Amino acid sequence: GIMLSDMENNDSAVGGSRHPRRTAPDADEAAGALAQLGGDRGRLAQRVVTPFWYYPAIGGLLAVVLACVSLAGRAPGTIGIMHTAVSGESALLSWFSRTRGIGAVWPRGAECIALFVVICTMLVAALGGIAWFTVTGKAVGWTLVIAVLTGAVYAVLGWRYDEALRRRIAAGR
């Protein structure tokens, strides 16, 4: 009898198939397909390019959030300002995902993972430093220095992360 697997794999089982059996590609077809994949990777890598102002804007908003954390309870309106800054960061991230068709991605590859770890460590250290200065009652000015430096370093590391990610995508890794 005819089995379902025979009908799917044998063109003669039921009067032929709408999808003719495909043979393995020859060397030229395979090379052409690989070249096309390489071009696709290159085009995808270029879609990851952020505008020059993107990471400084995120870093600036991050600095505002950190400054608000350090000034909470000392200056009026800090919670509202922090909410506005966080909303701005969310809006920028959404805009980037919508316009580029690429959402946030989990880091892959040694360089991307290392940069991600450095960024996360920097954020934790900044919050720890701000908390220490705030709890001990030390000069608030230092917390603002930490906030601004963290925002600036984030901008630089963001650009570096993008470069590493583009290299990784273009190389097909």
PDB file of all heavy atoms in Angstrom, residues 9 17 73 125:
ATOM      1  N   ASN A   9       7.228  11.887  -0.364  1.00  0.00           N
ATOM      2  CA  ASN A   9       8.584  11.813  -0.880  1.00  0.00           C
ATOM      3  C   ASN A   9       8.700  11.204  -2.271  1.00  0.00           C
ATOM      4  O   ASN A   9       9.770  11.209  -2.840  1.00  0.00           O
ATOM      5  CB  ASN A   9       9.460  10.993   0.080  1.00  0.00           C
ATOM      6  CG  ASN A   9       9.589  11.690   1.414  1.00  0.00           C
ATOM      7  OD1 ASN A   9       9.700  12.902   1.453  1.00  0.00           O
ATOM      8  ND2 ASN A   9       9.555  10.929   2.489  1.00  0.00           N
ATOM      9  N   SER A  17       3.955  15.452  -8.180  1.00  0.00           N
ATOM     10  CA  SER A  17       3.920  16.385  -7.052  1.00  0.00           C
ATOM     11  C   SER A  17       3.927  17.802  -7.565  1.00  0.00           C
ATOM     12  O   SER A  17       4.494  18.101  -8.609  1.00  0.00           O
ATOM     13  CB  SER A  17       5.146  16.134  -6.170  1.00  0.00           C
ATOM     14  OG  SER A  17       5.253  17.120  -5.181  1.00  0.00           O
ATOM     15  N   GLY A  73      14.269  63.576  47.640  1.00  0.00           N
ATOM     16  CA  GLY A  73      14.030  64.049  48.993  1.00  0.00           C
ATOM     17  C   GLY A  73      14.767  65.335  49.317  1.00  0.00           C
ATOM     18  O   GLY A  73      14.514  65.948  50.343  1.00  0.00           O
ATOM     19  N   ALA A 125      27.827  49.952  40.133  1.00  0.00           N
ATOM     20  CA  ALA A 125      28.814  50.746  40.877  1.00  0.00           C
ATOM     21  C   ALA A 125      28.349  52.193  41.035  1.00  0.00           C
ATOM     22  O   ALA A 125      28.506  52.793  42.112  1.00  0.00           O
ATOM     23  CB  ALA A 125      30.168  50.691  40.170  1.00  0.00           C
TER      24      ALA A 125
END
